[in-house]
Amino acid sequence: MIEARTASPSFLRGALDALATSRTTHAASWSALGVFAVRAGSAALLFLTQIAFARWMGASEYGLFVTAWTAVLVLGGVTHLGFNVAMMRLAPQYHASGEHALFRGLLIGGRLVALTSAAVIASVGIAAIWLLQIESKAALALPLALGLLCLPAYTLTDVQDGLGRGQGWTLEAIVPPYIVRPLAMLLLVGVVLGVGLSAGAVAGMAIALGATVVAAVLQTILIERRLAEGVPRVRPAYAYATWFGISLPLLVGGVCEIVIQNADILLLSVFRPSDEIGHYFAAAKTTGLALFILYAVGTAYAGRIAAAHALGERHELESLVGTAVRWTFVPAAAVLAGILAVGYPVLAQFGETFTDAYPLMFILAAGFLVKAAMGPSDIILNMMGHQRATALSLGVAAAVAVVLNLVLIPLWGVTGAAIATATAFATMATINWFAVRKLEGLNLFVGAHLSR
């Protein structure tokens, strides 16, 4: 009896010690797991939030809300001017080399660029709404204006996300935009329902604006706390010419990525009926959950890869790249297998006819798997200072996406769109593999790293 009682605490203590050792030895991998958990939780919250908004507003007003919020997401992919990824690369480089004045300057300057750019675009957009308002679109004017007002806070959050991810302040960087913002929106909908306020796109965008500001303020507070703990307070130095030389190619790449992610839906809306678009959207978004793996691993390893490259630590760089590739491909392959296994019943939850899109998930998964086989290749290139190569690969992939969608959708409908999107992802990954091989002599293909 005594032995049985002492064995359990001993086993538990050993398990906890092993866990603590693993978290120390494989800190980046645990960080990647944490990021994936946050993104998965965010996806669940967003799903619940959209259901709540749709039921609260009704189809017509919800359509206006979705249009306005999509404008925020698309414009928010431009207003940062590439500083979100530039900060992810430069911050760890400055920190590792002890250039704290440039670090402080990058933080202040990046925030200033983000806020100024977003404010200018929001002002131009609101002026255009006021000047060009068409009576038939009047119902969209105020929700869209409120969406434009979200841009400064949204862009600030995006830029600070890049800084935090580069520094390893992962939870401080991503929890506010990915957990706090959708949770605040969901809670505010509950409050509005409780007090009996009228439903509509205007109220919905007001809620979105409030939640976006709350997330930006919380993230700023958390980032400032980490800065006070780990970065000396010195007079900031500014190198805008250098920063824009890095950020603008990244901006081009970001725009191309938006094209890759949205060309299929946009062109399907031109050639195919709305029910097919809905089926395709459900299949694409469900399969695309596996891409969270690339985001998670890229976030966990970006700062360390940038620092190792800046300091010329070749062996460390090779080790980090190999580990990042493995930790991308193996979990992504497992997640894709799981998604495909449950894909049919998941699509059935959307409606009986949605299961017609199940074969599309296999086509899209093939493209995602090729991308995963090269690891977070675009982030790796950016962290090693080859953002122009990344912009080139994304530009070619965007062109492939548009051309193939234009050719294949009229021929094969949604199947053509799936083939076009999968091919674009595979093209981008292959070009990135070639670029890293040529520029750095590193092999990103997972087959070169699985034996380790």
Side-chain angles (χ1 to χ4, degrees):
M1 293 290 291
I2 294 175
E3 289 181 1
R5 271 193 287 223
T6 56
S8 178
S10 177
F11 174 78
L12 180 60
R13 191 180 303 112
L16 291 175
D17 289 343
L19 179 62
T21 301
S22 175
R23 294 196 64 172
T24 302
T25 306
H26 306 290
S29 300
W30 278 97
S31 177
L33 184 62
V35 173
F36 180 76
V38 169
R39 291 302 302 266
S42 175
L45 280 172
L46 285 171
F47 185 70
L48 292 174
T49 301
Q50 295 310 308
I51 291 176
F53 271 58
R55 293 192 174 188
W56 173 50
M57 296 180 191
S60 178
E61 289 291 319
Y62 181 67
L64 295 173
F65 169 80
V66 167
T67 301
W69 185 246
T70 300
V72 176
L73 299 180
V74 172
L75 291 174
V78 177
T79 48
H80 51 63
L81 300 183
F83 267 75
N84 57 340
V85 182
M87 292 181 83
M88 182 163 47
R89 174 199 156 190
L90 291 171
Q93 177 181 322
Y94 290 154
H95 193 264
S97 59
E99 298 175 278
H100 300 300
L102 283 172
F103 185 103
R104 289 279 180 180
L106 177 67
L107 172 64
I108 297 171
R111 285 170 169 170
L112 182 61
V113 167
L115 290 171
T116 302
S117 170
V120 168
I121 292 177
S123 299
V124 171
I126 291 173
I129 291 171
W130 182 68
L131 292 172
L132 305 175
Q133 186 180 134
I134 302 172
E135 188 174 348
S136 62
K137 298 293 184 183
L140 180 60
L142 188 51
L144 191 55
L146 288 170
L148 291 169
L149 290 177
C150 292
L151 279 179
Y154 183 92
T155 308
L156 176 64
T157 303
D158 204 11
V159 167
Q160 291 185 152
D161 177 287
L163 173 78
R165 287 161 59 195
Q167 283 299 104
W169 305 335
T170 307
L171 294 181
E172 291 86 346
I174 69 173
V175 167
Y178 290 111
I179 298 295
V180 173
R181 186 166 61 207
L183 182 59
M185 292 173 69
L186 189 61
L187 293 175
L188 286 172
V189 170
V191 171
V192 170
L193 285 171
V195 299
L197 294 180
S198 60
V202 173
M205 284 311 303
I207 288 173
L209 174 59
T212 303
V213 171
V214 167
V217 170
L218 176 60
Q219 185 194 54
T220 301
I221 292 171
L222 294 175
I223 292 290
E224 285 295 325
R225 287 181 58 186
R226 294 303 298 263
L227 285 167
E229 294 171 359
V231 180
R233 187 174 294 278
V234 297
R235 186 182 182 86
Y238 301 94
Y240 281 108
T242 300
W243 298 340
F244 276 109
I246 293 170
S247 72
L248 291 181
L250 293 170
L251 174 62
V252 173
V255 171
C256 292
E257 194 167 7
I258 292 172
V259 172
I260 296 168
Q261 293 173 354
N262 295 281
D264 46 6
I265 298 294
L266 293 175
L267 291 173
L268 278 170
S269 67
V270 175
F271 295 108
R272 307 303 298 176
S274 60
D275 58 334
E276 290 188 19
I277 298 171
H279 297 167
Y280 179 86
F281 186 82
K285 291 304 178 183
T286 303
T287 313
L289 291 172
L291 293 177
F292 287 166
I293 299 288
L294 279 78
Y295 175 89
V297 175
T299 294
Y301 284 88
R304 295 177 65 188
I305 289 173
H309 186 267
L311 297 175
E313 298 176 350
R314 179 70 181 186
H315 179 73
E316 177 70 6
L317 180 65
E318 292 176 353
S319 176
L320 288 169
V321 168
T323 305
V325 170
R326 287 196 304 276
W327 271 93
T328 299
F329 179 78
V330 176
V335 169
L336 280 170
I339 288 173
L340 294 176
V342 301
Y344 193 91
V346 167
L347 290 177
Q349 301 306 307
F350 288 85
E352 292 182 6
T353 59
F354 280 80
T355 54
D356 294 342
Y358 183 55
L360 304 180
M361 297 179 68
F362 288 85
I363 299 172
L364 293 165
F368 297 160
L369 195 62
V370 173
K371 181 174 172 61
M374 311 301 172
S377 57
D378 50 343
I379 292 179
I380 290 172
L381 271 170
N382 289 336
M383 293 305 103
M384 294 190 293
H386 303 305
Q387 59 275 358
R388 294 181 185 274
T390 306
L392 175 63
S393 73
L394 287 168
V396 173
V400 167
V402 172
V403 171
L404 287 183
N405 273 294
L406 284 171
V407 172
L408 298 180
I409 289 176
L411 292 175
W412 299 327
V414 289
T415 302
I419 293 171
T421 301
T423 304
F425 275 108
T427 299
M428 176 179 60
T430 302
I431 295 175
N432 286 344
W433 169 83
F434 179 80
V436 173
R437 187 80 169 178
K438 181 178 177 60
L439 296 171
E440 294 290 340
L442 297 172
N443 187 357
L444 291 185
F445 181 59
V446 66
H449 303 286
L450 281 178
S451 59
R452 301 180 187 180

